[in-house]
Amino acid sequence: MYTAHPDRYADMPYRRTGRSGLNLPALSLGLWHNFGPDRPVETQRAILRRAFDLGVTHFDLANNYGPPPGAAESAFGEALKADFAGYRDELVISTKAGYLMWPGPYGEWGSRKYLLSSLDQSLKRMGLEYVDIFYSHRFDPDTPLEETMGALHTAVQQGKALYVGVSNYSAEQTREAARILGELGTPLLIHQPRYSMLDRRPEDEGLLDALDELQVGSIVYSPLEQGLLTGRYLDGIPEDSRAASDSPFLNSDAVTEDLVARLRALDEIAKSRGQTLAQLALAWVLRGGRVTSALVGASSPRQIEDSVAAIGNLGFDADELARIDAIVRP
């Protein structure tokens, strides 16, 4: 029988999400990879237990996480039942819908039919009555945004979600989504964009500025850039790495000599701060409090421990930030 660590809230910082009453841990656990039938169940449960013991109260899922799609939610549901049934009110659980889940015209994107059906399926897989946050996972160019946001509003009205968010929306799409939701009476809580030292689009395209203006929170995914910022690629491409596999998210062509040289330079900055490259990358996205939380994945409890250690040094001086920019954006 799992019993959570009594000091689990001692060290993790929690940040207010936009103008809501919800606080999120600076680091949240994403179940995008490593939670499915191809991974040992005990390892999955050990990751979740260690995360919670370290103050990671937010577990982020989506209907299509696995593989196969749905597997992460099913695995998480079993872990909830086995280990966390008595801790539900201490957890923030989120899921999303937007990508392909089943055949036919109603199995993806942003229609009311798809979103609400998907949420019902997600709740069933996890054995929950509600999720804390339900996201539109991507903007649907062929469905009126009023319909997509209306479905999120309905999920809250039905008691199946406490808050709603969007992911992979542009700055202007986010502004319009927030306007529609505001008129419906269900505020936009949070946006989940991709953001890292190597991917500055939320800065360059004005998304972070829009979130500041709207007082909407943010939780960033891929802050370690699919593993590039973990230090695994400082000497090239390891045989067992994602880039050496047939992963659609990172291939060997991306790991150029120039990139490796930049990663090594960033690693030198990390060492000067007493951090690993991964810890530097996490601290960088969390700098200044503009980002509410950073999503990390893990294939072992040790990886969670290493990530959480980043919170010990989230401050940067102007010289460090300038050196990082000179490396990444010469």
Side-chain angles (χ1 to χ4, degrees), residues 2-182:
Y2 165 69
T3 301
H5 197 286
D7 296 329
R8 57 190 175 277
Y9 296 115
D11 299 317
M12 176 65 67
Y14 297 86
R15 296 179 170 186
R16 185 73 60 181
T17 310
R19 57 182 176 182
S20 77
L22 183 68
N23 288 319
L24 289 180
L27 292 175
S28 299
L29 180 62
L31 279 68
W32 183 14
H33 300 297
N34 304 318
F35 285 82
D38 60 336
R39 306 283 178 164
V41 171
E42 192 51 44
T43 300
Q44 297 175 40
R45 288 179 59 184
I47 292 168
L48 294 168
R49 291 193 295 259
R50 189 61 182 136
F52 189 54
D53 282 345
L54 291 170
V56 177
T57 55
H58 178 209
F59 298 132
D60 180 81
L61 299 105
N63 58 358
N64 64 326
Y65 287 178
E73 289 180 330
S74 295
F76 183 66
E78 290 300 315
L80 278 174
K81 183 168 58 176
D83 293 332
F84 297 99
Y87 300 103
R88 174 64 182 97
D89 291 337
E90 296 185 44
L91 301 178
V92 175
I93 301 169
S94 60
T95 196
K96 315 175 198 72
Y99 288 93
L100 182 64
M101 272 302 289
W102 60 84
Y106 320 120
E108 62 178 325
W109 293 106
S111 72
R112 181 179 182 84
K113 179 173 177 60
Y114 166 69
L115 290 173
L116 294 178
S117 296
S118 179
L119 178 56
D120 284 342
Q121 292 179 21
S122 292
L123 293 174
K124 184 176 181 180
R125 280 190 290 267
M126 291 187 284
L128 293 172
E129 295 181 356
Y130 70 95
V131 291
D132 296 275
I133 308 170
F134 182 46
Y135 289 87
S136 168
H137 206 166
R138 59 173 171 171
F139 178 79
D140 183 349
D142 297 319
T143 297
L145 194 55
E146 289 82 359
E147 179 176 339
T148 302
M149 294 303 105
L152 297 185
H153 171 67
T154 295
V156 172
Q157 294 297 104
Q158 291 177 339
K160 297 176 181 179
L162 300 185
Y163 302 93
V164 298
V166 297
S167 181
N168 302 307
Y169 277 50
S170 71
E172 288 310 310
Q173 290 162 355
T174 301
R175 284 192 175 93
E176 183 64 6
R179 182 192 66 78
I180 295 167
L181 285 168

Side-chain angles (χ1 to χ4, degrees), residues 197 262-277 279-281 284 313 315-317 319-328:
M197 287 194 293
R262 293 173 192 267
L263 296 177
R264 289 173 177 167
L266 290 171
D267 188 53
E268 290 302 313
I269 296 176
K271 289 177 180 176
S272 72
R273 291 167 50 85
Q275 293 181 314
T276 65
L277 178 56
Q279 290 164 353
L280 171 73
W284 185 88
N313 185 8
F316 288 83
D317 60 36
D319 178 64
E320 287 174 323
L321 292 174
R323 289 167 62 198
I324 289 170
D325 281 351
I327 294 166
V328 176

